[in-house]
Amino acid sequence: MIILAVVVNLKPESREPGLAAMKTMEAATREEAGCLDYTFYADMNDPNRFFLFEKWESQRHLDAH
């Protein structure tokens, strides 16, 4: 199993389009073979900072992503 933790910082003027893109990416990626989890979380102290946690069955699945 492969687990990734990613920090995403958005510019304030890009926050709304960024949120829309994250929702689209989250839904699409969760449908991919080998994806066990793919979720964005908001930072409680910074409205423009998000965390992405990905969990994949294998490196092969992540590479295909």
Side-chain angles (χ1 to χ4, degrees), residues 5-39:
V6 179
V7 176
V8 178
N9 292 300
L10 300 176
K11 294 180 181 177
E13 63 273 14
S14 300
R15 188 175 192 280
E16 291 307 314
L19 286 172
M22 285 186 273
K23 287 179 185 179
T24 299
M25 288 169 49
E26 195 173 88
T29 302
R30 286 179 176 178
E31 297 297 319
E32 292 183 29
C35 180
L36 302 173
D37 190 28
Y38 189 93
T39 306

Side-chain angles (χ1 to χ4, degrees), residues 46-61:
D46 182 345
N48 297 311
R49 185 176 179 162
F50 298 86
F51 303 96
L52 168 61
F53 291 95
E54 302 180 45
K55 190 184 310 183
W56 296 89
E57 285 184 26
S58 69
Q59 186 64 50
R60 178 179 56 83
H61 289 100

